[in-house]
Amino acid sequence: MADITWEDPFCAEGNNCFRIGTDPTGNAYIAVTGKEETPLVDSREALRALIRAVKAGEADHLL
């Protein structure tokens, strides 16, 4: 697996914790804390677009 630099876990209620990481080649990773060996992988730009969309309320219907 790539050399991933993981951010501190983000935890909502209970044990629902996620981690975001990046590697030197431009990939971005999202994983459930403790399951970092099976992350969702995409480009950093895709991660930026996801974060912008969530911040803009485009995922509010999922709440």
Side-chain angles (χ1 to χ4, degrees):
M1 178 157 292
D3 185 24
I4 303 169
T5 302
W6 292 103
E7 297 291 326
D8 289 336
F10 171 79
C11 300
E13 297 176 18
N15 294 326
N16 300 323
C17 300
F18 293 90
R19 295 187 81 183
I20 294 176
T22 56
D23 71 18
T25 63
N27 293 314
Y29 300 81
I30 300 174
V32 173
T33 300
K35 302 284 186 174
E36 289 87 351
E37 70 278 0
T38 55
L40 171 69
V41 184
D42 209 326
S43 68
R44 288 185 188 188
E45 186 52 42
L47 178 60
R48 283 186 199 99
L50 173 64
I51 292 169
R52 286 183 185 125
V54 169
K55 288 174 84 173
E58 295 179 31
D60 288 355
H61 66 282
L62 299 172
L63 300 176

